[in-house]
Amino acid sequence: MSVETLSVESRPASKVGAARVGIGGPVGSGKTRLLEQLIPRFIERGTKLAVITNDLTTHEDAERLQQSGLIDPEQVRAVETGACPHTAIREDPTLNIQTADELESLYPGLDLVLIESGGDNLASTFSLDLVDYWLFVIDVAGGDDIPRKQGPGVLHCDLLVVNKFDLAPYVGVDLERMRRESLQARGDRPVLFTNCATGQGVDDVVEAIGQAVLFDQS
Amino acid sequence: MLILDRILGQASEPELAERLHQIGHVGGLELLQVSGDDVQRRRLRLTSDAGTDCAIRLARTQRLSDGAILLLDTERAIMVRTDQPQYLMVRAVDAAGALELGYFAGNMHWSVRFDTDVLAIQIKGEVQDYLDRLTPMIESGKVQVESPCVP
Ligand SMILES: Nc1nc2c(ncn2[C@@H]2O[C@H](COP(=O)(O)OP(=O)(O)O)[C@@H](O)[C@H]2O)c(=O)[nH]1
Ligand SMILES: [Mg+2]
């Protein structure tokens, strides 16, 4: 019987996979540190997750997470991006897609795959073929004019995370102004402030991801 | 929140068209407006025109498109509506302008289509953002911008 002759209700459903969430942003802004804060929180709320990190030529971030004791090391994979980290998350995300597919087939109950991009500049964005939702992490030490610089990452991400707010007094950054200008540049799409050294503000990031792609009841 | 996790079919299929027509008569057809960027997503949260909070969660092999039916029962259906992507048509006045425009658009990571001497740049967000970036090239007469359109 062909699909056309099946009644609509009896057409076979395909298996819905895990949510895929990207974490992008410049080198050193705190992406891996954010992962280290997110992982225990997701595990705590019963979300089954796996992690993919993208590094230029090493597996440093993956190894750091594998050795963290926060997550089963088998559930952390490294993708080696070669020269241009943004290529692996945007123009040709095949390697990342394959790695996520592999993790999903090895761990059928996965709810969430977090994908950290290799650090890049403010222009890096994620392909929506690869992820359902993506965060862009900048830090206050980069200067409070970053939101005004209109980088595509800052403008187009689903959630902007401004990390290292604890450093604001040392680098002369006005957090309120940064919040205002971030919201303005992003047409009021969400911006959250975190201190990933201590975990302050990270619960709100978990909440935002939960609402957007894990569909928590609120 | 209503979870919608499969595409049941397309509104254009004869069997579905007939049923949608009937459901439309009793006011049960809800439309879900999905923007040009969001249509690529497998998961998203949107409110239908009837105010239903919809959580879409599709298999990686499925893809939203205009007319996709996400819910269908005897009195109610939910159908996707998408905008056609808009393009900014930029004409290079000569080969030198074309080289510069191509190089620049690539550096900006814009999605483009080639149409002989016109570069069709897909507009994601505000068209003004694109015009702002192109201002130096427009003012120096290397390229000419035609109004945004669906090619
Ligand atoms: N003070 C402070 N340091 C942080 C914070 N988040 C990350 N760091 C530090 O910043 C450095 C770079 O962080 P990392 O997560 O490796 O950055 P990545 O390159 O974006 O993955 C590390 O030494 C972190 O410990 C924060 O919120 N406050
Ligand atoms: Mg890192």
Side-chain angles (χ1 to χ4, degrees), chain B residues 91-126:
Chain B
R91 182 182 306 279
V93 297
D94 55 16
L99 286 174
E100 193 171 332
L101 177 63
Y103 179 79
F104 184 76
N107 265 341
M108 295 304 296
H109 301 293
W110 288 338
S111 305
V112 299
R113 285 203 214 159
F114 302 107
D115 183 8
T116 61
D117 59 343
V118 174
L119 191 70
I121 302 168
Q122 193 181 341
I123 299 166
K124 299 174 181 171
E126 294 300 319

Side-chain angles (χ1 to χ4, degrees), chain A residues 4 17 21 26 33 35 75 77 116 152 174 181 184-185 194 198:
Chain A
E4 278 72 26
V21 171
R33 195 76 195 101
L35 273 175
Q75 273 157 259
R77 292 292 159 89
E116 179 187 343
D174 178 346
E181 289 181 348
Q184 211 167 31
T194 56
T198 61

Side-chain angles (χ1 to χ4, degrees), chain A residues 52-190:
Chain A
I52 300 172
T53 67
N54 284 245
D55 282 298
L56 282 178
T57 51
T58 65
H59 293 175
E60 228 165 275
D61 281 352
E63 283 160 13
R64 181 168 139 196
L65 291 170
Q66 282 161 338
Q67 286 155 17
S68 67
L70 296 169
I71 183 170
D72 176 353
E74 291 291 312
Q75 273 157 259
V76 179
R77 292 292 159 89
V79 166
E80 231 178 82
T81 59
C84 273
H86 62 77
T87 309
I89 58 167
R90 189 186 46 237
E91 289 85 357
D92 183 13
T94 321
L95 269 181
N96 273 299
I97 292 174
Q98 276 173 2
T99 308
D101 288 348
E102 256 170 57
L103 282 164
E104 283 190 41
S105 67
L106 276 170
Y107 305 100
L110 276 187
D111 300 307
L112 176 63
V113 180
L114 294 171
I115 303 171
E116 179 187 343
S117 80
D120 211 324
N121 57 30
L122 295 177
S124 64
T125 58
F126 274 87
S127 156
L128 292 174
D129 255 339
L130 173 61
V131 297
D132 304 305
Y133 183 85
W134 59 284
L135 285 56
F136 198 76
V137 183
I138 59 176
D139 67 80
V140 301
D144 55 10
D145 55 348
I146 283 194
R148 288 201 305 277
K149 289 183 179 161
Q150 309 264 313
V154 173
L155 290 185
H156 300 307
C157 64
D158 295 305
L159 172 63
L160 179 66
V161 175
V162 183
N163 188 34
K164 308 194 191 180
F165 73 64
D166 54 304
L167 299 184
Y170 306 105
V171 290
V173 158
D174 178 346
L175 284 180
E176 259 328 297
R177 192 172 119 204
M178 209 166 165
R179 184 190 306 275
R180 219 171 35 241
E181 289 181 348
S182 303
L183 285 169
Q184 211 167 31
R186 290 170 46 73
D188 284 330
R189 284 176 317 128

Side-chain angles (χ1 to χ4, degrees), chain A residues 6 8-9 11 13-20 86 90-91 128-129 132 150 158 211 213 215 217, chain B residues 1 6 8-9 13 15-16 19 37 40-43 45 55-57 59-60 63 72 109 133:
Chain A
L6 277 177
V8 170
E9 286 78 1
R11 289 179 189 176
S14 334
K15 198 183 155 295
V16 173
R20 295 180 184 179
H86 62 77
R90 189 186 46 237
E91 289 85 357
L128 292 174
D129 255 339
D132 304 305
Q150 309 264 313
D158 295 305
Q211 290 260 342
V213 291
F215 304 142
Q217 306 282 355
Chain B
M1 179 178 55
R6 56 198 282 220
L8 294 160
E13 295 172 45
E15 181 201 342
L16 284 180
R19 285 178 63 179
D37 295 346
Q40 297 176 62
R41 295 182 200 259
R42 302 317 195 287
R43 288 187 184 231
R45 190 102 177 240
I56 301 174
R57 187 172 70 184
R60 296 277 149 204
R63 198 169 189 133
L72 186 68
H109 301 293
R133 298 302 178 113

